[in-house]
Amino acid sequence: MDKPIYFSKIEFKNNFLQDCEGTMLLNLVEKELSYQLVKRHRKNEKILFSYGVKIKDDDLPELLQYCNALDFEPYRNIDESMEYKGIYGYRDCWGIVFRGISASYLPMLKIYMDIYHDEKHIWPNEKLYKYLIQKYFGHKKFKKYGIYY
């Protein structure tokens, strides 16, 4: 097995409400996780919600299991479609874009997250997103800001 190459920064960007964009940023170098919901109308921008948390050192080993860039490489340049195994639905009227960068030879990775997969076939970007939501944003107060799984 290859030695892991961990992402240093990860972004999940979603557009689920009219003129609204949610951005979750995971900075593994600084051990920070943040989420910001911004409403844009013409040239005006308003922050509707902002939240951040420091990742505890004790939580890092578990989190890193989801952040090995090599696990994501088979999904580079794959266009999700209903032809893949384990698909049970899709995000209707909204989507998420995953971006990950590492301090290695691997170029930035971008994966569109439009489809839900069952647990057996779940892609690593969806696994990471689900983990972050459930671990750090599991409280129901976040649901009204589009943070749920």
Side-chain angles (χ1 to χ4, degrees):
M1 179 142 201
D2 293 326
K3 184 179 176 191
I5 297 174
Y6 296 110
F7 287 115
S8 49
K9 293 185 181 175
I10 293 169
E11 174 188 78
F12 293 96
K13 192 169 286 268
N14 63 35
N15 53 345
F16 57 93
L17 297 171
Q18 185 179 6
D19 300 327
C20 286
E21 184 175 81
T23 304
M24 182 188 304
L25 293 173
L26 174 60
N27 183 332
L28 286 165
V29 176
E30 299 295 327
K31 299 180 204 159
E32 297 172 340
L33 176 66
S34 63
Y35 183 87
Q36 190 171 70
L37 181 63
V38 176
K39 182 170 180 74
R40 291 185 173 90
H41 183 68
R42 296 189 181 129
K43 293 186 179 187
N44 296 323
E45 190 173 283
K46 180 181 179 185
I47 296 173
L48 300 177
F49 176 75
S50 190
Y51 175 79
V53 63
K54 195 82 168 157
I55 306 292
K56 297 176 186 168
D57 288 336
D58 293 345
D59 292 340
L60 205 52
E62 182 181 14
L63 174 58
L64 287 176
Q65 294 177 42
Y66 297 93
C67 298
N68 182 357
L70 296 175
D71 294 340
F72 292 69
E73 277 304 303
Y75 303 91
R76 182 182 293 279
N77 299 324
I78 290 182
D79 185 20
E80 262 188 328
S81 72
M82 297 302 277
E83 298 169 11
Y84 288 98
K85 291 181 181 176
I87 292 175
Y88 70 88
Y90 61 96
R91 291 181 168 92
D92 193 16
C93 298
W94 68 286
I96 301 174
V97 178
F98 165 88
R99 287 185 184 88
I101 59 170
S102 65
S104 74
Y105 61 90
L106 297 172
M108 182 187 81
L109 179 64
K110 181 177 182 180
I111 302 174
Y112 291 93
M113 299 169 55
D114 298 322
I115 299 194
Y116 290 105
H117 301 83
D118 62 27
E119 285 299 316
K120 184 178 176 185
H121 299 95
I122 192 168
W123 290 18
N125 51 307
E126 190 77 39
K127 242 185 234 184
L128 173 59
Y129 184 74
K130 181 179 179 181
Y131 171 80
L132 292 173
I133 295 295
Q134 291 176 345
K135 174 114 178 140
Y136 296 100
F137 299 100
H139 193 276
K140 62 183 175 183
K141 72 178 180 178
F142 294 116
K143 286 186 179 184
K144 68 181 177 181
Y145 300 110
I147 312 170
Y148 58 86
Y149 195 89

